[in-house]
Amino acid sequence: MNGPDNGGSTTPAGESKPPTIADVARAAGVSPSTVSRALNREHRFYRSPSAARIREVAAEIGYAPNPVAANLRRRQTNTIGVLVPRLTDTVMAMLYEEIASAGLNRGYHTLVATTHDDPGRERENGEVLLQRRVDGLVLTTARTDGGFCQDLAHKGIPYVLALRTYGDSAAAVGDDRLGGYLATRHLIDLGHQRIALIAGPGYASSALGRRAGYEDALREAGLPLEEELILPSTFSMESGEDAGRRLLGLAPRPTAVFAVNDNTAIGVLAAVQRAGLRVPEDLSVVGYNDIPLASRLALPLTTVRVPFGTIAAAAVDQLIDRIAGTPAGTRTFAPTLIPRRTTVRARATPV
């Protein structure tokens, strides 16, 4: 009996053996090494039309690569490590899920570790991920002082930053300065002149960029930059409520506030309610990120939407390039203002 005509070999009993790379090469009319490059996601050739056609031929004849053997030859595990400050933060949980999904679509699995924005924990847990033989790291924890990024660069370990930047490290981020400008300009266009900022921590480039955008909008409108209207936060609801309470104690108090993330903005909403005041009649509030809760609050939150899925996919693509030895730079994606019910045209400045 003749064996199957899919290019595979047969055993003496006539049972078909799985097709090999050599079988794919014969069917596609190329060399085995070309087939290997076409099947290697980290190789530049993988993205070419010729490589796509070779993979089609491989699928047609039933060839299935052995990823374990291939990874052992390349000393790769097709695993990405991800460092986030905390998974209780909705933004970080959302971003990690998007990174995991993007990685899976590209043949990579992900491992995650948290740092609580502590440099010591970042190094410790980053090393744990590296001991698990991840091929590279995505960091959402970058600090303006470099920290762990400098360690990785010195050791030549592939890494990419997401949401935050440091120096000339490869990164995928939102345009925080533009986002801060859009949020503040929205309030200015509603007639607000005494606009407060609840800023994030000074070690996060994302917070610094949003503050810069706030200052840009005030300067453009000819409004003064009043330091008493700028308060720090830790990106948490608790710090937002505390800052909101302090702002409401000013005389005159602000008529609007831009909080550099949605959690902080939600804290402000709580402070306004506890003070017996109303949003937006007594205080207009803008957040940042557009987490799912923002649109589902009793009073839906005006905010700035960040394209987390796009940022995550770009970070994974950049990391795969870096693993393959290809340079990667910073990719920046524009945010979008989402007006909802926590902002309204300004009334007379309260006393």
Side-chain angles (χ1 to χ4, degrees), residues 75-158:
R75 293 189 175 183
Q76 290 185 204
T77 61
N78 275 30
T79 306
I80 293 171
V82 183
L83 280 172
V84 301
R86 53 188 62 81
L87 286 173
T88 53
D89 183 327
T90 304
V91 167
M92 293 302 165
M94 290 169 57
L95 184 66
Y96 173 67
E97 288 189 0
E98 293 287 359
I99 290 171
S101 176
L104 195 59
N105 288 340
R106 293 153 179 78
Y108 283 79
H109 292 280
T110 54
L111 298 175
V112 64
T114 58
T115 70
H116 294 271
D117 262 328
D118 176 82
R121 284 197 186 186
E122 181 180 36
R123 284 187 170 88
E124 180 180 350
N125 292 339
E127 291 296 338
V128 169
L129 289 175
L130 294 174
Q131 289 167 12
R132 298 291 181 91
R133 296 186 61 211
V134 297
D135 297 332
L137 294 171
V138 175
L139 281 66
T140 69
T141 53
R143 301 173 68 92
T144 53
D145 60 3
F148 191 48
C149 295
Q150 293 176 316
D151 296 349
L152 295 173
H154 180 71
K155 296 176 181 177
I157 295 170

Side-chain angles (χ1 to χ4, degrees), residues 180-194:
Y181 171 85
L182 292 175
T184 310
R185 185 73 241 184
H186 170 66
L187 294 170
I188 292 170
D189 289 344
L190 289 173
H192 295 279
Q193 296 187 14
R194 191 164 167 80

Side-chain angles (χ1 to χ4, degrees), residues 3-66:
D5 59 1
N6 64 359
S9 58
T10 60
T11 65
E15 296 177 353
S16 176
K17 286 183 178 180
T20 65
I21 281 184
D23 296 325
V24 178
R26 281 194 296 271
V30 297
S31 69
S33 62
T34 301
V35 175
S36 295
R37 289 194 294 272
L39 299 176
N40 181 359
R41 293 176 180 270
E42 288 76 50
H43 200 284
R44 293 181 181 179
F45 181 61
Y46 182 87
R47 297 179 175 87
S48 70
S50 297
R53 175 55 190 154
I54 291 170
R55 291 194 296 274
E56 289 176 3
V57 171
E60 289 169 2
I61 70 171
Y63 172 75
N66 183 337

Side-chain angles (χ1 to χ4, degrees), residues 262-284:
D262 290 340
N263 282 340
T264 307
I266 291 169
V268 175
L269 300 183
V272 173
Q273 184 180 36
R274 290 180 188 278
L277 300 173
R278 297 178 300 168
V279 172
E281 291 85 356
D282 298 305
L283 186 72
S284 285

Side-chain angles (χ1 to χ4, degrees), residues 213-346:
Y214 163 84
E215 295 178 356
D216 289 343
L218 292 182
R219 190 162 41 248
E220 179 184 77
L223 296 175
L225 181 66
E226 302 181 60
E227 290 297 331
E228 71 170 353
L229 295 181
I230 302 175
L231 297 179
S233 76
T234 61
F235 287 141
S236 69
M237 292 184 192
E238 293 79 8
S239 64
E241 184 172 357
D242 179 66
R245 184 167 53 248
R246 292 166 61 189
L247 289 172
L248 293 174
L250 296 176
R253 65 173 183 261
T255 63
V257 60
F258 164 42
V260 295
N261 78 341
D262 290 340
N263 282 340
T264 307
I266 291 169
V268 175
L269 300 183
V272 173
Q273 184 180 36
R274 290 180 188 278
L277 300 173
R278 297 178 300 168
V279 172
E281 291 85 356
D282 298 305
L283 186 72
S284 285
V285 180
V286 180
Y288 204 102
N289 286 320
D290 196 25
I291 63 175
L293 179 61
S295 65
R296 294 170 175 81
L297 294 167
L299 197 65
L301 178 67
T302 296
T303 188
V304 176
R305 178 177 295 163
V306 176
F308 292 112
T310 304
I311 290 172
V316 171
D317 284 343
Q318 288 171 290
L319 183 58
I320 291 173
D321 284 343
R322 296 213 64 193
I323 292 169
T326 303
T330 294
R331 298 185 62 187
T332 305
F333 301 93
T336 307
L337 177 74
I338 308 296
R340 294 194 180 107
R341 292 173 55 196
T342 59
T343 50
V344 72
R345 184 159 293 280

